[in-house]
Amino acid sequence: MIQTYPNTLDKMENITPERHVFSLPTTFGLPVGGALQDNVPGREDVTVRCAALRYPVSKSKQGLTLVLTHGLSSHKESYHPTIAHLLRMNATGNRYINMIREIWSIDMPNHGESAVLNRAYLEDRQERGRKEGWDGKCTTMDFTSYLNAFLSIPQLQGHRVVGVAHSGSSTPWTNVFTLFKRRSHPHPFALLFIEPVIMFPGMSSNDPRVAHSNANMRGSLAKRDKWSSRAEAKRWLLGIQGNRPKDQGDQRRDIDISGNAKQREGQGQNVGSGHKKRTGNGKAKAKTPWSKWDDRVLDLFVERALEDVCEPTLPLQGSATTAKSRTYVRSMNRKEEESSLYMHSQHTVEPAHLAHMCAALDLGGGGVHIMWAESEEYISQSSRAGILDAASRRVISDRVVPGSGHLVPQETPRQLAETLYDVLVGHVAVAAGITMRASL
């Protein structure tokens, strides 16, 4: 049963993370789900950039260090409202001393800020692949090698790392543990999967996960990814037509990294867990996927997952006018790269590998825990049972995040934080032997 906690978001100071960029020596081009072969077309050792947020919490060395990885098409800041709630519960909790040491949230190599930092390499790799006959787009094995490199950074040495993965980023964590036998780090101590998109060889094409994967491949290519401004992007994401709405839920807001909106004087601020009712002069269309998102998560997406572009426009030949420039915003991750990552083979793991990982973390760590969405829109009950069966029933705990759809961090950050906190307090901290507070 999920314990509920008071909403203290508006009573405590903002939590501002540190921003870091790491140069990670890694390998791209490893075969998806296969052995780590040397002679594979497109395989190359390379150093790529990794943008990360760090939330320092405690100087105690016995606390847990959480490393969060986002799902496809998302970005590291999407977790901020969840982290803010989690850290406030950690600060006011009365069971453990220094349960959390620090929290990291990272962008995958072709997502968010990391995508901008790596764009020259990513585009060059794809161009070389086209010329030489191999696919140069990022794969989940590239994500795996990249994640393995991040877990090897000196800043995580001596830490007890707990991986927190949403949706498609569960696969790289599984691969790191099961395929990278000679990794230079002992991580993770425990894994917390949120709606894991884990598939198995020979799955039926009728499985909802396969159907959704195929639909997402098509949909990501068809979706719009350029707008004249962030304001227009937000209106489009919300499905709003006509003039810009006048209510406080849709007015342009200045967003800080704490995930809170800095409202203009005289405006109220809703800090609840759900999105606000959006009305006004704009005419709303049918609900969009983004209209289900928590306001703070949506604002952070508009601010942090879109980039400003300025392109010069050449005057017509023979024209006396001078060259001008065109400005707009677009998604940091390119939809052509995103589409192929939805392919079900990108998230296929051997059942024996999953069972081995769950058993190993059960015996020598804090175990594997799964948090499902309340809605079965993506992973049905039968699919959930299949994952638990493949894990030989060695998943320590599985539970439902109240009120959530598949995009749990985007839709219900507060409920996700409460669920994560319950798992950490009730299971992982116990396994880690973290010092409990003395009884009064």
Side-chain angles (χ1 to χ4, degrees):
M1 184 175 186
I2 302 298
Q3 182 179 353
T4 58
Y5 302 90
N7 185 2
T8 58
L9 186 64
D10 55 342
K11 299 178 182 178
M12 303 184 70
E13 61 183 315
N14 290 337
I15 300 169
T16 303
E18 302 170 355
R19 290 189 167 272
H20 295 262
V21 175
F22 296 95
S23 294
L24 301 181
T26 183
T27 302
F28 273 27
L30 296 171
V32 173
L36 306 186
Q37 306 168 22
D38 291 326
N39 298 320
V40 177
R43 171 173 174 157
E44 59 189 9
D45 294 332
V46 63
T47 297
V48 297
R49 311 295 292 281
C50 172
L53 300 178
R54 174 179 178 263
Y55 300 75
V57 182
S58 168
K59 295 182 179 180
S60 171
K61 293 184 178 180
Q62 74 161 193
L64 304 170
T65 293
L66 278 54
V67 174
L68 282 67
T69 53
H70 58 77
L72 299 181
S73 83
S74 192
H75 60 115
K76 63 185 181 300
E77 288 85 1
S78 64
Y79 276 118
H80 183 81
T82 295
I83 293 171
H85 282 298
L86 179 61
L87 290 182
R88 288 177 176 111
M89 286 185 286
N90 180 67
T92 57
N94 56 12
R95 185 168 180 180
Y96 290 103
I97 300 173
N98 301 322
M99 182 178 73
I100 297 177
R101 182 175 180 177
E102 59 188 43
I103 298 177
W104 292 84
S105 182
I106 67 173
D107 279 325
M108 285 302 179
N110 61 347
H111 283 64
E113 187 182 355
S114 292
V116 177
L117 296 170
N118 294 321
R119 179 142 304 134
Y121 167 71
L122 295 172
E123 292 180 349
D124 174 72
R125 176 173 170 78
Q126 291 177 60
E127 180 61 26
R128 286 185 287 117
R130 283 189 288 268
K131 292 179 179 179
E132 299 171 18
W134 45 269
D135 191 350
K137 293 190 289 293
C138 272
T139 68
T140 51
M141 280 301 290
D142 295 334
F143 285 10
T144 298
S145 185
Y146 173 91
L147 174 60
N148 184 62
F150 178 79
L151 294 173
S152 302
I153 63 174
Q155 288 85 343
L156 293 180
Q157 289 182 3
H159 286 237
R160 194 180 278 113
V161 169
V162 177
V164 180
H166 175 233
S167 190
S169 71
S170 302
T171 310
W173 282 99
T174 305
N175 289 339
V176 164
F177 195 93
T178 59
L179 299 181
F180 284 61
K181 303 295 186 181
R182 298 179 181 177
R183 57 188 185 275
S184 61
H185 58 82
H187 313 310
F189 175 76
L191 284 173
L192 280 57
F193 286 164
I194 307 161
E195 276 278 283
V197 180
I198 294 177
M199 308 190 196
F200 306 109
M203 279 180 53
S204 168
S205 59
N206 295 324
D207 188 285
R209 289 166 292 177
V210 176
H212 277 291
S213 294
N214 294 334
N216 284 339
M217 289 177 67
R218 297 188 299 269
S220 59
L221 290 173
K223 72 180 179 182
R224 182 176 177 181
D225 65 344
K226 296 180 182 178
W227 300 270
S228 63
S229 65
R230 282 179 167 77
E232 186 201 7
K234 183 175 180 180
R235 293 197 300 274
W236 183 88
L237 292 169
L238 292 174
I240 296 174
Q241 297 176 324
N243 296 328
R244 185 164 155 192
K246 298 293 186 180
D247 76 303
Q248 67 180 28
D250 289 308
Q251 283 193 342
R252 180 69 172 82
R253 295 182 289 180
D254 297 321
I255 309 302
D256 63 20
I257 187 56
S258 69
N260 297 321
K262 298 177 181 177
Q263 299 274 357
R264 293 186 178 91
E265 184 177 0
Q267 292 179 343
Q269 181 177 347
N270 184 328
V271 293
S273 61
H275 65 276
K276 297 185 288 292
K277 183 179 179 181
R278 298 176 171 107
T279 57
N281 294 339
K283 180 181 178 181
K285 298 188 291 185
K287 282 188 176 182
T288 68
W290 300 274
S291 67
K292 301 177 184 178
W293 289 15
D294 178 272
D295 279 350
R296 296 157 296 168
V297 179
L298 179 64
D299 286 335
L300 285 167
F301 180 85
V302 171
E303 290 294 324
R304 299 289 182 174
L306 306 181
E307 63 178 326
D308 295 297
V309 180
C310 182
E311 288 183 348
T313 57
L314 299 176
L316 296 175
Q317 188 173 5
S319 172
T321 59
T322 58
K324 297 181 180 180
S325 60
R326 180 171 70 106
T327 60
Y328 59 94
V329 298
R330 70 174 301 174
S331 300
M332 288 179 176
N333 65 307
R334 300 296 186 250
K335 59 185 182 181
E336 295 80 10
E337 295 182 8
E338 177 188 336
S339 175
S340 60
L341 286 166
Y342 288 113
M343 190 180 303
H344 73 272
S345 59
Q346 296 277 351
H347 306 280
T348 297
V349 301
E350 293 290 339
H353 289 173
L354 180 63
H356 165 72
M357 179 184 71
C358 292
L361 290 179
D362 182 9
L363 293 173
V368 174
H369 306 262
I370 298 180
M371 282 143 277
W372 309 109
E374 184 171 298
S375 167
E376 297 177 30
E377 61 185 343
Y378 204 100
I379 305 178
S380 65
Q381 280 290 345
S382 61
S383 297
R384 297 176 186 186
I387 291 174
L388 296 176
D389 287 341
S392 297
R393 295 287 164 175
R394 296 300 292 268
V395 171
I396 301 299
S397 71
D398 70 305
R399 61 194 69 199
V400 169
V401 180
S404 61
H406 178 67
L407 299 180
V408 185
Q410 288 89 341
E411 296 177 14
T412 53
R414 183 183 177 190
Q415 290 90 333
L416 174 58
E418 292 172 352
T419 307
L420 289 170
Y421 186 76
D422 285 341
V423 173
L424 293 172
V425 168
H427 296 280
V428 183
V430 175
I434 294 176
T435 304
M436 298 184 69
R437 296 186 186 275
S439 300
L440 297 179

